[in-house]
């Protein structure tokens, strides 16, 4: 069996951590980490939906996701979008992916005429920022829903099920789980998988940048992905279980002061 | 067996057509169509590479892809990016996909210190614009390479192999090939596949917008995709075979007047 | 008599062609060509007018024209406006000209509370793109009006008269009609004329870039312009006469599905 | 004979005034007025030309013109371009016109490897702002050239001849010279003419917004235009004659401290 | 006592001048100067307030200030914001300062549901442009209020008191008043003070760019500032006293034609 | 003595905390907090200086500061600059202030031909974000310098002295130190002070938004400010003393891998 540069087995995740309420003004937030990759994930719920939904009488709520790299997330400083005058193409691609994954996990009709804002800001990038983002964003949303339930604003949580994501790839001929940055840079194939906690597929994005891959490689990567998602979902559930949405009644009151 | 709304079998492509030299000032161009979806695909080769490649002594050439919907491509007019003041997020995502697929097909080292510009402008959208774009762009690039070979500027074609793409999805429980717009809108799962002419995978993008899917559904979609790509690759090769890069010596001279 | 580089007489137009329904999702569209200059011209009609018109109770409809060069329209690739982050100055100037010419041809009161969107995208530039655009746009609008009449949405066509445009210039001391790109580049004086089918003037734009011209040269150019417009108007009318707006009832129904 | 609303004869200009050195940091500047229309016109000369000119070894200098309405130039405040996030289309059109007119008046080869910046900012708009701009900009350039000659930086003035501009139009059926805002708003035809002091044509822009016009109307407008330009050129020459470029040696030294 | 480079005493202002109605289409305007620094200051009053104020039922009016350097205000031409594609940071900072100072001087409740637009465009920069702007803008607002009173649209002036501003600094160890550009460039400390005519403080902005300063230096600068503001306020009051808002009844009528 | 809403004395700071290496890819970083206001402050050092410095042979290094509110820093979500298409005016003002304060603390000549990037991102806003930013940024810079010294890239630290900042204001007639958000909103006067650790003034920004203040109030605020800065500087020094720049040799090596 190959030895990965950090000593992990091919099917081994990096340590998964969630630090809740990293952004205390959000309804739900976590600092989500897979190893050294750290993303601030926030969920904020606002009254109202976009104008076109109201005009077309579309029922239920709306969900928007935004993703950004903080300038100091990478070893070389990354200029802010506003300094470059335009949105980064890679960020656009990733935030659309986050939005799709969350929409598979959240029942927007149950949200009512509200907008759920998901924000993911990468504090430290070491491979897999998009999968950490999806994973943390789903947990942040679950915490926000719990707060709104605790405040009596929602009867049941709009979360259908947890969505979790993980990257898999083929490095030096071997499929490996949860690539860090040095692995990601050298991988011949790179695949991002988003699944439900029940291992149903939400999104499969496999890409052989300047290379190609076979169906059996895709199959191996799916198998590894299921291992990863099983572990991640368990961690998400444990974090939600230990989260007390009503522990601070004053904070609760302030957060839910929605019209 | 289900009947599709336009009478096709589930595993049947729409008619594939390529009208070469639709944009005669490009080195290679086609109007590529799958049924009613029509995309102007152009390949232009410029001397030189981006400054950072020269500074870092990266060998070979560069490839950039741009994708845009013409305002009249949809039944409801779509505002131009420049009028809205920013690039459309969906277009950004698609042009990154086109670029990755083309980079798997083209050997940039063989291109020399040149930049290959790929442009895909949708003239009529009826589902599958990104797959028609990849397919047509690869053919346009092949034609451009043929012209540069005919002019003695390239010894061998930088095209490693054809790349083709097709969409597959699950509609009403049945996996179907090459979805048109009404099918795409209603599909529970939507998957875009880019493959080489030898059916190696280049990109797999499966997505269950507000839904999920199983591994066996993914498997069925891959099978359909291989059928589609087999047919599309054959059409690409036939189009290239009937293309005479040197038929118009004056045009050839003008096009290749590169420093 | 001088010989022009392409063998034309000084008072001879390039071949005029109109390929109808080039963009089948538009209400009216043509690929308009004078020789090698090809422009996709589209006319789309939307319900409603800009907010300020409603607030100020301005009767009738609105018309907006947009003009753009496709990146592959020129021998050297032209960057898209959105990549450069701002609208091209020349395009701005031209689309304002197209708008003025169309407003002289169309009776906006008869259009009702609707907006007519004119889009002109240059597929191949070989001189005279603005005059081909005006000419094609007017025909596309006429076709769109015919479709709306066929569908019973308009009682009479808002087209007062055809507007056509042509360039004239002075090359090597001789006034010539319908300059192509090599002539345009060398012309001492360049004049764009838009007229009605009855040879009334709509717009005269004569310009001696880094040169000047006399009134008699202007007079000669006007004479040539009338010859050109006479031929162009006849071609417009012939194209409209052979256009059957109701030939495809399903398409008709879909196109006119306006609220 | 018709009476114009301000008592002028149809062939009568508004009072022409030039206040020199309105912007004392420019090499040349005037506050140019035709009646109540006032434009700050400035000419600044910088060492160097755009990079592409140097790369292509284009000899001589460069000229760029910018035009803008100050927010308080109109009775209703006009938002600044930077607040709206994009250049005003009308301003783009006008500054291109100013640039073309100035390039006909200035011999850029004689300027040497320098860039002439022309800026026109409308302080008060009452019709004809583009013609006042061209007229004032040409005088400002002439003054700047005189200062550079006085300083020994230029041997002879790059000004070939004066360029002047004036608007003419048809109001209530009568051709009139130098329209003010109320006339401009109601005119059926509006024509802007730029000519040399010798009455050679530089630019003719006649436009029947939502109307058309005849050749004889164009002819009448050209005649009026020549009357206007004759008077304007005389005023330009008088202003230049009374301008002493070396009157303030300290200012002169500071202004010409060019590398 | 030190001699300043222009012969002034340390506690001496440059000559203060106000040329009223420099922009006759504004309700109030002045060309304000301290020595060679000249700023066009305009005040325009529009009916209505921003939408959010109406939605939140905020009583009274609104005030917005904009500041810009004209391209020819400096010895080296300064590119326009719209050419650079973004607002200049220094201008942003200054216009926020102008807005705060004016809000201290104007009682927005007395303005009614109207918006006061303050525009400051620097015609010539020689140090202290922000202080000339505040000073001139307050006078322009006072003149605008006087015109609205004369027209019967306002019962009493919303001006609580005059606001005036002046810069002070420490040059070569000596505190000096009203720095011009050469002094400003060399000053170790630079302080901009805005005060009421009664010498109450509105804004204190002291800054030691790449240096620091002591409390006693701040104290000395405040003393000088009071001298300056006393003189400036007197000049403002004199200018307002000699301003006849109703001298031109036709102009008055046109200016106040507000809905 | 008044009781503040959170129980503090008027001259009492909120708890000051610095969590080092919050952004481990930066050369120096802290999560700086005054009470509930939390700002991620980062210092990154890049080789090279802006092109104009090299062209003009300006010796030493360069410093740029950027400030931004994360969308979830406030109770109501704040749209990102890139979504609104332009830089927030308040952020522009604040980042210019941070830059000036840091330039007073850092000897850029000692930095060599390097650029120091300061980034401040507000994670939670509860009043005083700009003062926490300056304070944290100076500490982050000190830590970055320490790391570069430990790596042998700098002989001595370019930090001349610590810069610290604090807000003071007048609430209900009483001068108070370090205002939180509810106090800031109601304060009649708001003053931000930046000082060196030796209590020399770097920047004084006192502002009576819609109010004015007296010299004696300014004096009282300065006194409070000195108390605050004394406490803050001590905390900065303690944090730097307990920071071991060489504790992780591998990290050190990676961070300083500068050309």
């Amino acid at each position: 069996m190959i030895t990965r540069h950090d000593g992990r087995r091919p099917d081994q995740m990096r340590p998964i951590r969630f630090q809740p309420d990293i952004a205390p003004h959000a309804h739900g937030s976590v600092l989500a980490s897979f190893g050294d990759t750290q993303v601030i994930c926030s969920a904020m719920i606002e009254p109202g939906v976009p104008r076109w939904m109201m005009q077309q009488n579309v029922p239920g709520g709306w969900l928007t996701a935004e993703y950004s790299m903080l300038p100091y997330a990478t070893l070389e400083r990354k200029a802010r979008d506003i300094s470059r005058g335009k949105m980064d193409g890679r960020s656009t691609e990733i935030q659309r992916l986050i939005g799709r994954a969350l929409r598979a996990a959240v029942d927007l009709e149950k949200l009512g005429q509200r907008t759920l804002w998901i924000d993911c800001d990468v504090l430290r990038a070491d491979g897999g920022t998009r999968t950490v983002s999806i994973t943390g964003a789903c947990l942040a949303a679950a915490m926000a829903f719990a707060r709104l339930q605790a405040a009596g604003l929602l009867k049941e949580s709009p979360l259908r099920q947890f969505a979790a994501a993980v990257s898999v790839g083929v490095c030096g001929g071997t499929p490996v789980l949860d690539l860090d940055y040095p692995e990601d840079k050298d991988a011949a194939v790179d695949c991002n998988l988003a699944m439900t906690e029940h291992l149903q597929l939400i999104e499969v994005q496999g890409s052989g940048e300047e290379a190609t891959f076979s169906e059996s490689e895709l199959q191996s990567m799916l198998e590894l992905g299921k291992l990863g998602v099983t572990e991640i979902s368990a961690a998400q559930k444990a974090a939600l279980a230990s989260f007390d949405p009503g522990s601070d009644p004053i904070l609760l009151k302030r957060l839910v002061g929605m019209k």
Side-chain angles (χ1 to χ4, degrees), chain A residues 199-215:
Chain A
L199 302 183
Q200 280 287 299
L201 296 166
I202 294 172
E203 182 106 12
V204 177
Q205 288 208 349
S207 172
E209 172 101 12
E210 299 179 42
T212 60
F213 56 108
S214 67
E215 282 184 73

Side-chain angles (χ1 to χ4, degrees), chain A residues 170-175 217:
Chain A
V170 179
C171 292
T174 307
E217 283 174 317

Side-chain angles (χ1 to χ4, degrees), chain A residues 1 17 25 33 52 78 80 94 130 140 157 161 171 176 200 208 229-231 235:
Chain A
M1 198 173 79
R17 280 187 309 273
H25 277 169
S33 319
W52 67 265
K78 188 169 179 305
R80 293 170 195 266
I94 293 177
R130 76 190 74 189
S157 173
Q161 58 210 331
C171 292
V176 293
Q200 280 287 299
V229 166
T230 302
E231 185 178 340

Side-chain angles (χ1 to χ4, degrees), chain A residues 174-245:
Chain A
T174 307
V176 293
L177 178 64
D178 186 28
L179 289 69
D180 65 11
Y181 180 70
E183 290 174 328
D184 189 50
K185 227 176 41 165
D186 290 341
V189 187
D190 179 26
C191 189
N192 290 288
L193 299 170
M195 301 187 200
T196 70
E197 55 184 298
H198 311 300
L199 302 183
Q200 280 287 299
L201 296 166
I202 294 172
E203 182 106 12
V204 177
Q205 288 208 349
S207 172
E209 172 101 12
E210 299 179 42
T212 60
F213 56 108
S214 67
E215 282 184 73
S216 70
E217 283 174 317
L218 178 62
Q219 192 54 46
S220 306
M221 292 191 290
L222 285 170
E223 288 310 312
L224 282 180
K226 285 189 284 185
L227 284 180
V229 166
T230 302
E231 185 178 340
I232 298 165
S233 297
Q236 285 173 315
K237 281 187 230 175
L240 186 62
S242 68
F243 172 73
D244 177 359

Side-chain angles (χ1 to χ4, degrees), chain A residues 235-259:
Chain A
Q236 285 173 315
K237 281 187 230 175
L240 186 62
S242 68
F243 172 73
D244 177 359
S247 62
D248 182 344
I250 292 165
L251 176 66
L252 188 65
K253 204 171 151 192
R254 227 162 109 206
L255 286 176
V256 298
M258 253 187 286
K259 272 157 281 188

Side-chain angles (χ1 to χ4, degrees), chain A residues 12-35:
Chain A
Q12 192 178 349
M13 288 289 301
R14 290 176 288 179
I16 301 165
R17 280 187 309 273
F18 301 115
Q19 178 186 334
D21 279 335
I22 178 76
H25 277 169
H27 294 101
S29 67
V30 289
L31 180 63
S33 319
F34 292 178

Side-chain angles (χ1 to χ4, degrees), chain A residues 100-122:
Chain A
R100 285 196 302 269
L102 267 285
R103 274 188 282 271
V106 174
D107 183 337
L108 289 174
E109 293 225 8
K110 284 201 186 142
L111 188 60
Q113 284 210 331
R114 297 188 177 96
T115 295
L116 173 61
W117 284 93
I118 295 294
D119 283 285
C120 298
D121 288 276
V122 181

